[in-house]
Amino acid sequence: IISIMYDKEDPAIKPTFTTASVTSFTGDGDTRDYFNEDVTFNLDVEEQFPTNETRELDGSAISNQPTPYVLIRSHNADGDSQEEVKAIPDPENNHYTFQHSFTKDGDYEIVVAVKDEAGHTNEYVKHIKIDKTAPSYGVTYKTINQNGLPRVINALSFGLFFREKVRVEVSLNDGYYGSGAQYIHYID
């Protein structure tokens, strides 16, 4: 008996995110999605003939396990970490599935790599940022030094007819994992 596999297709990687709010930013040749709530990454890989083989992605050796390989790199309040996870096979339907929830503010990189018995490969890399914490702000008022007549008139009128000049300073802190302020608006 001779078996022949005929496979001309690359493995199909179909990622989705379950959340309603996402903002995308492209800079330095990289697209990063910002989420302001918990997000779940869902992965569906369609491949009829997966292989078992050690792969290397971005200098990280991936252990000998069935593809697809899923690597989650995290940089959050818990520190830096890298987690290799295995997708769940559904051999009857030639699919593999994977799900991961991101619940902490931080930067994440999702790396998926698939190789089949015919040597076809496909990779998916996604950078996301979770920022659920609103920025904090502070406002300070500083009187601009006024001498002479303006100071006397201000004192005599109790500030009703002649007011001192004041500098308003607004500071904004979006934290280490913040996505940055979209705008600061001052209403006089």
Side-chain angles (χ1 to χ4, degrees):
I1 297 178
I2 297 176
S3 307
I4 298 176
M5 284 191 308
Y6 185 71
D7 182 6
K8 292 175 39 177
E9 301 293 323
D10 287 341
I13 298 175
K14 301 172 186 170
T16 58
F17 291 91
T18 55
T19 184
S21 82
V22 60
T23 302
S24 294
F25 172 76
T26 302
D28 299 329
D30 182 29
T31 298
R32 186 174 304 261
D33 287 342
Y34 290 86
F35 297 93
N36 63 7
E37 60 189 14
D38 292 349
V39 63
T40 300
F41 172 70
N42 301 293
L43 174 68
D44 180 44
V45 175
E46 185 177 346
E47 174 49 49
Q48 193 167 359
F49 306 106
T51 187
N52 293 319
E53 158 180 313
T54 301
R55 290 268 330 259
E56 189 170 304
L57 281 173
D58 298 335
S60 302
I62 305 295
S63 66
N64 190 12
Q65 68 173 353
T67 64
Y69 308 118
V70 181
L71 188 64
I72 306 290
R73 291 189 179 124
S74 304
H75 178 67
N76 58 32
D78 295 336
D80 294 340
S81 66
Q82 179 170 299
E83 177 186 5
E84 180 183 335
V85 290
K86 188 187 283 190
I88 301 166
D90 179 5
E92 290 180 17
N93 297 310
N94 299 322
H95 282 262
Y96 289 79
T97 58
F98 170 76
Q99 189 175 68
H100 184 82
S101 293
F102 298 93
T103 59
K104 293 185 179 180
D105 284 7
D107 293 308
Y108 300 93
E109 179 183 38
I110 303 163
V111 180
V112 178
V114 184
K115 182 176 182 181
D116 64 17
E117 289 289 347
H120 300 292
T121 61
N122 201 351
E123 293 184 1
Y124 169 83
V125 178
K126 186 68 169 178
H127 298 274
I128 66 170
K129 185 169 200 133
I130 308 296
D131 180 12
K132 301 185 299 181
T133 306
S136 60
Y137 67 94
V139 178
T140 56
Y141 303 93
K142 294 182 181 178
T143 302
I144 296 174
N145 191 11
Q146 291 182 325
N147 293 321
L149 185 60
R151 186 177 213 174
V152 172
I153 294 173
N154 188 53
L156 293 174
S157 66
F158 302 105
L160 296 175
F161 300 105
F162 187 87
R163 299 189 189 260
E164 293 180 318
K165 292 182 180 179
V166 176
R167 175 181 297 152
V168 178
E169 293 181 7
V170 179
S171 61
L172 178 72
N173 182 359
D174 198 20
Y176 185 76
Y177 302 106
S179 55
Q182 189 172 17
Y183 62 87
I184 297 175
H185 188 76
Y186 175 75
I187 300 173
D188 187 15

